[in-house]
Amino acid sequence: MERISFSAVNHANHVLKKEHSNTNTPYEAQRDFASVLKESMNKVNETQVTSDDLTTKLVNGEDVELHSVMIASQKASVTMQATLEVRNKVVEAYQEMMRMSI
């Protein structure tokens, strides 16, 4: 059984739990957030590409197990759905912050 990699989540957790005594500049915080976001998007893309490759191999009649193709397809689907939900929450939080009065 294949294991799902949560390295992007662990990296994000590490970035978010930095010690408070070591304060970051806004530039460093932005850079850390950008790196976490980029790594996460790369992982999503990787699962999509893997799923596409396995599906293409199956369609072309190559020696690929059907269950492997279905598992890869579901991983890609779940990963994309989770990414969209995170994006929706981020947009919602941004809109809420923009509605706040100073």
Side-chain angles (χ1 to χ4, degrees), residues 14-99:
H14 172 71
V15 169
L16 294 174
K17 285 189 174 183
K18 284 191 174 182
E19 294 181 23
H20 294 289
S21 63
N22 184 12
T23 57
N24 288 344
T25 64
Y27 173 75
E28 289 172 336
Q30 182 180 0
R31 188 183 62 209
D32 288 343
F33 179 74
S35 69
V36 168
L37 187 61
K38 183 176 181 181
E39 184 178 335
S40 299
M41 293 307 295
N42 286 337
K43 293 290 184 182
V44 171
N45 186 50
E46 185 180 306
T47 59
Q48 295 289 327
V49 168
T50 302
S51 174
D52 289 346
D53 289 344
L54 287 174
T55 302
T56 301
K57 287 179 181 180
L58 181 69
V59 169
N60 290 334
E62 296 179 31
D63 188 26
V64 178
E65 298 288 334
L66 178 61
H67 67 275
S68 297
V69 176
M70 295 305 295
I71 290 171
S73 175
Q74 285 300 308
K75 280 183 183 180
S77 176
V78 168
T79 305
M80 181 59 80
Q81 289 174 357
T83 302
L84 290 175
E85 287 300 320
V86 169
R87 182 211 57 184
N88 291 344
K89 288 294 183 182
V90 168
V91 169
E92 184 180 317
Y94 173 78
Q95 289 172 341
E96 186 68 26
M97 287 173 40
M98 294 307 291
R99 279 186 241 137

